[in-house]
Amino acid sequence: MAGQHLTAVEEAISHILAQAKALTGSETVPLADSLGRVLAEDHHVPADVPPADNSAVDGYALRTQDLVANQPLPVSARVPAGQAPMAIEPGTAVRIFTGSEIPAGANAVVMQERVEATDAGVVIVADVSDGQNIRRRGQDLRQDDLALARGIRIRPQEMGLLASMGIARVPVIPRLKVAILSTGDELVEPGTALQPGQIYNTNRFTLLGLLAEIGCDVVLCETLRDTREVTQTTLKRAANEADLVITSGGVSVGEEDHVRAVLEESGELSLWRMAIKPGKPLAFGSIDGTPVLGLPGNPAAVLVTFLVVGIPYIRKRQGVTDYRVYGEPLPAAFSVDSASIRKEFVRARKELNGQQMSVAAYPNQSSGMLSSACWADGLAVVPEHTTITPGDIITYYSFAELLG
């Protein structure tokens, strides 16, 4: 087990990522259902995209050598998109539309706004150059080129690219199966009247939303009673059903914090207590060979530690090849007068002050206040042993970037 010291955030993330083994195997899904999934195979281009030269505009295809100033070109054919054209007749123009295949022999397209129609044909009223308004065969993708590599998470643009290659079904890495275990006799579900000493189970729903956002399947979602026996039994059952067990609460130093004790006694605890604010009592280990990520119990701490530590781990398990986040350097619009030994992730948002964008922090950063995260758009980083004066440059991570 890790010692009682606080593990630096970077060291903790490196340790956890070293244990993150990507899921093996693949499953094939319809392209329409592939959003957010991770490619299980490299995709090479089966044929040139586009498959033939085509027009970038509505207009007229022609041979530039046929142009004579102020002389009309008779229109010899019309080529709607989706029809194969005949070769262009020398000395004529062909009516053409965006996406229509270029007739053999034509070497330019003039948009219709640059043409005057007459009874004798069309008069071109603009300069015309070879290749003008023609999208060349293979301009987007060349046959046999690598289009998309294994480990890329599919966004709408990847869906479109796969469709452009004629791919209807996509091999993807299986979804990570996750169990969510909330701890605490005081927890009750929303919709139930609170009795003295009770609180609603906030963390379950935060984690359900986060896991849905990043494409995981929740296979078990339960609240643990505060006993060692129930904690051990349920952890083992969750480990048998899931690829990852996430707990909230139960990893601190109190007498009722049984998750950490069970991991020490019946499994493995390789990390405990991280130099992060909020979220110091974070644990990582395993039970019956299944990884367990033990998050703190306070709602804001659950959100922050999941975004900072949990998501990179899950992305690597999902087979994503690039799970890094880079952040954005911006001036602070807040101050921190007392330096901490922990790296702090401040619930914050970007605001425009005059002509300059800066980062404002929510006034109350209590680890129990989730309303601060609803006000915020991301997290601003205050490094260890550091004070902040307004105008100091800090790193800001948007929630969108942290979620990938």
Side-chain angles (χ1 to χ4, degrees), residues 37-50:
R37 304 300 296 270
V38 179
L39 286 176
E41 297 177 4
D42 291 344
H43 282 269
H44 291 83
V45 183
D48 289 343
V49 179

Side-chain angles (χ1 to χ4, degrees), residues 181-187 201 203 222-226 231 247-251 256-259 295-297:
L181 302 180
S182 309
T183 67
D185 288 338
E186 73 280 11
L187 299 178
N201 189 346
N203 295 334
E222 293 188 6
T223 300
L224 300 181
R225 297 302 96 192
D226 281 331
T231 300
T247 65
S248 63
V251 293
E256 303 299 325
D257 290 319
H258 298 297
V259 172
L295 302 179

Side-chain angles (χ1 to χ4, degrees), residues 12 48 81 107 128 166 171 223-224 250 276 294 309 323 326 363 383 386 389-390 392 397:
D48 289 343
N107 65 351
V128 182
T223 300
L224 300 181
I276 187 172
V309 179
Y323 42 82
Y326 299 94
T386 302
T389 301
D392 290 348
Y397 298 97

Side-chain angles (χ1 to χ4, degrees), residues 38 42 89 125 152 154 194 199 211 215 228 236 242 265 271 292 330 393:
V38 179
D42 291 344
E89 294 181 20
V125 293
I152 288 176
I154 300 171
L194 289 178
I199 59 173
L211 290 166
R228 187 73 53 90
K236 284 181 170 289
E265 295 169 0
L271 174 72
V292 178
L330 288 169
I393 300 300

Side-chain angles (χ1 to χ4, degrees), residues 201-220:
N201 189 346
T202 302
N203 295 334
R204 167 182 289 186
F205 294 92
T206 300
L207 289 169
L208 282 171
L210 288 165
L211 290 166
E213 283 266 18
I214 60 173
C216 295
D217 284 341
V218 175
V219 295
L220 183 69

Side-chain angles (χ1 to χ4, degrees), residues 229-358:
E229 181 181 4
V230 168
T231 300
Q232 182 181 56
T233 301
T234 310
L235 275 172
K236 284 181 170 289
R237 178 160 54 87
N240 186 56
E241 297 183 24
D243 302 308
L244 170 66
V245 179
I246 297 178
T247 65
S248 63
V251 293
S252 193
V253 295
E255 294 176 3
E256 303 299 325
D257 290 319
H258 298 297
V259 172
R260 176 178 60 85
V262 168
L263 290 178
E264 289 180 306
E265 295 169 0
S266 304
E268 179 192 10
L269 181 64
S270 62
L271 174 72
W272 180 51
R273 289 164 51 93
M274 188 167 63
I276 187 172
K277 185 178 181 182
K280 178 174 65 175
L282 179 136
F284 183 79
S286 65
I287 191 161
D288 292 346
T290 299
V292 178
L293 178 61
L295 302 179
N298 282 317
V302 166
L303 176 68
V304 169
T305 52
F306 186 90
L307 290 171
V308 174
V309 179
I311 285 185
Y313 172 83
I314 289 172
R315 288 294 187 213
K316 190 175 179 185
R317 292 289 307 275
Q318 290 172 323
V320 175
T321 50
D322 188 3
Y323 42 82
R324 297 167 295 175
V325 292
Y326 299 94
E328 181 180 3
L330 288 169
F334 63 93
S335 61
V336 175
D337 299 326
S338 179
S340 172
I341 63 171
R342 294 184 283 164
K343 176 176 285 189
E344 184 172 6
F345 289 82
V346 176
R347 280 141 277 163
R349 69 185 183 192
K350 292 164 63 172
E351 293 184 349
L352 187 62
N353 294 321
Q355 299 298 312
Q356 186 179 44
M357 193 67 72
S358 60

Side-chain angles (χ1 to χ4, degrees), residues 81-128:
Q83 292 188 10
M86 301 290 289
I88 191 171
E89 294 181 20
T92 70
V94 172
R95 180 68 167 124
I96 201 167
F97 302 90
T98 303
S100 298
E101 187 173 330
I102 301 296
N107 65 351
V109 176
V110 181
M111 66 173 60
Q112 60 191 23
E113 293 85 353
R114 299 291 185 266
V115 168
E116 289 181 358
T118 69
D119 292 340
V122 291
V123 177
I124 310 304
V125 293
D127 293 334
V128 182

